[in-house]
Amino acid sequence: TRARSAIAQHSNATVGDLMTRDVVSISPDEPISTAAELLVMHDVSLLPVVDRDQLAGVVNRHDVLAALA
């Protein structure tokens, strides 16, 4: 498949080569509407939730849309 071909071409690549370094995150105390704004504004599908410089979890577009419905 096309995906396997792409993987084979980049078999030496690491996750670090692919990851986003300028991560947009959110605090667990922020309103859900703020998460929705950040997701749209930064065109991302996932926000890390950071509490006191520690990863507490993640929230994705589906989570936010379900909460707003």
Side-chain angles (χ1 to χ4, degrees):
T1 66
R2 188 170 156 192
R4 283 190 180 150
S5 176
I7 291 168
Q9 288 178 343
H10 301 287
S11 62
N12 293 329
T14 66
V15 172
D17 295 329
L18 298 174
M19 71 182 186
T20 300
R21 296 186 189 280
D22 296 325
V23 177
V24 178
S25 64
I26 193 165
S27 162
D29 301 326
E30 290 292 329
I32 295 168
S33 60
T34 300
E37 289 174 18
L38 288 171
L39 289 166
V40 171
M41 185 183 320
H42 295 281
D43 192 26
V44 295
S45 58
L46 184 99
L47 289 173
V49 180
V50 178
D51 189 15
R52 297 186 192 121
D53 294 327
Q54 294 285 334
L55 180 64
V58 296
V59 64
N60 63 37
R61 284 181 185 231
H62 177 78
D63 298 332
V64 172
L65 288 173
L68 293 175

